[in-house]
Amino acid sequence: MEAVRVDLGDPRFAADPYPALMRLRHQGPMLFDEATRMWLATTHAAVSATLRSRHLGRLWSDREPAQRLAPFNALHRHQMMENEPPVHTRLRRVVASAFGRGHVERVRPRVEAIAAGLLDALPAGRADILAGYAEPLPVAVIAAVLGIPDADRSQLRSWSQAIVAMYEYRRSGAVEPAAITASVEFGSYVRDLLDLRRRHPGEDLLSDLLSVGELTDDELVATVVLLLNAGHEASVNAFGNAVVTLLRHPTQRARLGSGEVALELALEEMLRYDAPLQLFERTATRDVVVEGQTVRRGDKVAALLGSANRDELVFAAADRFEPARTPNPHLGFGLGIHFCLGAPLARLELQVSLRMLLERFPRIALAADPTPRPTFVLHGYRRIDVDLGEPA
């Protein structure tokens, strides 16, 4: 067993994990991390095998102390992302039709209208493009899909941020109390909304989920919270990472502006080059061999998605941003039965928001070094100040 030590919670590591991830890949495809007592899948092959294996599953274990963290645990115990078949199959099937490509395309006009309104509201000159554009847009989109009233959307972001802070490997003492409060308030809000939709159905996903009648109230609440959290946390980071990548590579950005490279193609490279989700855990349900290493039943494996996306054996010049890269088998949305259900919506949001931003402000530039989030699992920035320049 080759053991390593890497501090996944170190903000310095989180700010730019790629040099350390390269060193890990060079040590081996499967390494045992002493600090977290779990295996690290470092290469594209090892991560792919981990995510595809039916003997490495998403097995939820209540966070301890379970009684104090009961509200947080309840929101996760009934999620599709934290379950395996047959529970996962049933939960995902009920929701999946709403996120098919055809259904998502019908949302495009709404996404464009929301983006246009946010761009209109940006101050002239300098702006934090995350706070003014990237953060409110996906919240508004997924809330519109679910049927969340406009007046309630501002609260969703803070609830979500408090809950997902629990996913990191180093947390301050304030994280758990905030997550408990957010879980209670978020869960209560969704239950009230479910009661409202039972009395007054609308043309939204929440009403559709109720009409199917296959999910318990606990499952409905967990599903809605998952869709709201996953529907915008990763999208915000993906947008921020993409903008910073583009603005730091003006020559490559010009290829998009000239039409030489299609934005849809470049977006896949942005997701590969700086992945918004860096780590996805699995647990062995029996002894299983991954890339020659035996993982014992009960052991955890951390699939390092960002490392897989920089694997030199799969991607030529892996540390270079190449917007026309093809093929591009990045793992930004995962793989296997837990492949991101919202990938079509996320791609649509990113394509629309980036295209409209660059068309409206073709001379946009970084006004200062972006401020990275001090988190690794959800990897991105918490502030990106830009000079917008004169609008087109």
Side-chain angles (χ1 to χ4, degrees), residues 135-316:
E135 290 183 352
L137 189 144
V139 174
V141 171
I142 192 63
V145 169
L146 284 162
I148 307 290
D150 290 355
D152 298 339
R153 292 174 185 171
S154 61
Q155 184 62 56
L156 301 178
R157 176 73 174 157
S158 59
W159 282 335
S160 177
Q161 286 183 316
I163 290 170
V164 302
M166 288 284 289
Y167 304 160
E168 299 297 332
Y169 289 92
R170 181 188 292 182
R171 302 188 296 269
S172 71
V175 167
E176 284 191 5
I180 293 168
T181 299
S183 297
V184 171
E185 294 177 353
F186 208 165
S188 177
Y189 173 81
V190 174
R191 288 183 189 277
D192 289 344
L193 191 59
L194 287 170
D195 290 340
L196 177 64
R197 285 291 176 265
R198 283 191 176 100
R199 299 191 304 271
H200 305 287
E203 295 182 358
D204 52 67
L205 178 56
L206 194 55
S207 298
D208 291 344
L209 292 175
L210 283 167
S211 69
V212 172
E214 292 188 26
L215 304 185
T216 68
D217 275 12
D218 286 342
E219 290 170 343
L220 282 166
V221 170
T223 296
V224 171
V225 170
L226 170 63
L227 292 176
L228 284 164
N229 286 353
H232 70 271
E233 284 294 337
S235 293
V236 171
N237 288 341
F239 176 91
N241 295 358
V243 166
V244 170
T245 295
L246 281 176
L247 298 186
R248 284 178 169 169
H249 295 84
T251 301
Q252 302 292 15
R253 175 187 163 192
R255 297 174 67 191
L256 273 70
S258 68
E260 177 190 343
V261 179
L263 178 60
E264 291 77 6
L265 181 62
L267 176 58
E268 300 305 312
E269 175 68 349
M270 297 174 206
L271 291 167
R272 181 201 72 84
Y273 183 77
D274 200 11
L277 177 63
Q278 289 280 327
L279 183 154
F280 201 49
E281 277 189 20
R282 294 294 180 89
T283 303
T285 58
R286 72 176 202 188
D287 290 0
V288 58
V289 177
V290 180
E291 289 294 289
Q293 177 63 58
T294 299
V295 178
R296 300 299 181 188
R297 180 181 178 181
D299 284 355
K300 290 184 178 296
V301 179
L304 299 179
L305 304 177
S307 180
N309 287 344
R310 294 287 189 104
D311 190 338
E312 305 87 343
L313 297 179
V314 176
F315 305 98

